[in-house]
Amino acid sequence: MAGAVTTDTPPVDLEHVVISDDGDRYRVTLNRPERRNAITGEMIAELHRVCAIVERAPKPVLLCGAGHNFAGGADIAQLARRTRDDALAGINRTLFDRIAALALPTVAVVEGYALGGGAELAYACDIRIAAPDAVFGNPEPALGILAAAGASYRLPQLVGTSVAKQILLASARLDAEQALRHGLVMEVADDPFAVAETVIDRIVAQSALALRLSKTVIDAPGHHPWADDIAQAVLFDGPDKTERMSAFLEKKS
């Protein structure tokens, strides 16, 4: 099934991904429900095209899977054919790093399975909202490989090194409540889409520039108070600060 892109850019036909422009946000849906949205090379290529659209006109992104699963992992039939050179190219990692670097926040709605590459895609998002049946896991070592698309450096930051090792080394899985307890998800909800839309409502009500700079300094490695100061200086000298603070003070008075 093809999905039409309704942005200001020319329409793009996509087979494995659907993107819709909902005015102040994008909704991106992985669209292989019959295969639990298993991630293929073709889906990776289409998600790169989606990233290009979002990068040209930044807005928050709601990322989800069609059907009853977020993404059950990589397509094993394709993965079995990949070679050393494919691994060195970082096919999935390059995409997930690109998603993580999008200018404005990304919110993943996770229903059902988010395993392997699907889990790593969820880890690359800024915020995760889970359905009660959500399950996160990285079973890659059972297949003779490792979780090499970001889990080794994102998951320890999200849940701590000890829990990350339980997932990456001992094949532990986190259900929705465990994911909430360990801080991997923001909320568990019977209607995770409604919660995600409310979160994005709060995001779009804020200054886009302040959000972009906040995300940049949060994601920057190491201790960088000077970068925070520079980002703050840019915001202090911009119209958003003046307008928003003036409106706040007028409302308070």
Side-chain angles (χ1 to χ4, degrees):
M1 181 173 66
V5 177
T6 57
T7 65
D8 294 333
T9 58
V12 178
D13 290 327
L14 303 170
E15 181 179 358
H16 303 294
V17 179
V18 177
I19 177 171
S20 62
D21 184 337
D22 297 338
D24 58 3
R25 68 201 68 184
Y26 298 104
R27 180 180 291 212
V28 178
T29 306
L30 310 179
N31 192 34
R32 296 186 73 214
E34 73 286 354
R35 298 298 302 275
R36 293 181 176 174
N37 300 314
I39 298 170
T40 63
E42 293 79 11
M43 183 184 285
I44 293 291
E46 291 185 6
L47 284 169
H48 273 295
R49 295 168 70 187
V50 166
C51 284
I53 292 167
V54 177
E55 288 161 354
R56 284 195 295 270
K59 303 175 188 179
V61 174
L62 188 158
L63 178 64
C64 60
H68 303 293
N69 294 282
F70 180 74
D75 187 292
I76 303 302
Q78 283 195 1
L79 200 59
R81 296 193 298 270
R82 288 188 182 173
T83 66
R84 177 187 61 185
D85 289 342
D86 292 324
L88 291 173
I91 295 171
N92 290 15
R93 178 196 57 75
T94 301
L95 170 71
F96 299 168
D97 285 352
R98 188 175 184 181
I99 289 172
L102 290 173
L104 291 174
T106 52
V107 179
V109 171
V110 179
E111 298 179 295
Y113 288 121
L115 301 178
E120 292 182 292
L121 176 55
Y123 304 156
C125 293
D126 296 303
I127 296 167
R128 287 152 293 280
I129 308 296
D133 65 347
V135 177
F136 297 85
N138 288 95
E140 285 89 343
L143 297 171
I145 60 174
L146 60 86
S152 65
Y153 48 92
R154 289 198 180 94
L155 192 55
Q157 293 180 337
L158 292 169
V159 300
T161 301
S162 178
V163 175
K165 284 185 175 181
Q166 293 170 43
I167 295 168
L168 299 175
L169 303 181
S171 295
R173 294 184 176 185
L174 298 183
D175 63 24
E177 289 301 326
Q178 290 170 318
L180 179 65
R181 187 164 65 249
H182 290 298
L184 182 59
V185 302
M186 179 178 179
E187 189 170 334
V188 178
D190 291 330
D191 188 349
F193 285 94
V195 173
E197 295 286 5
T198 299
V199 170
I200 296 178
D201 287 343
R202 295 201 298 266
I203 289 170
V204 298
Q206 301 179 81
S207 162
L209 182 58
L211 287 170
R212 293 181 71 164
L213 293 177
S214 294
K215 183 172 174 178
T216 298
V217 297
I218 290 168
D219 289 343
H223 183 61
H224 45 71
W226 56 270
D228 297 53
D229 291 345
I230 292 171
Q232 190 76 295
V234 171
L235 294 170
F236 269 33
D237 211 28
D240 254 10
K241 179 211 173 206
T242 301
E243 293 171 7
R244 287 171 177 269
M245 289 193 178
S246 295
F248 175 85
L249 291 171
E250 289 174 9
K251 183 177 180 180
K252 186 176 180 180
S253 64

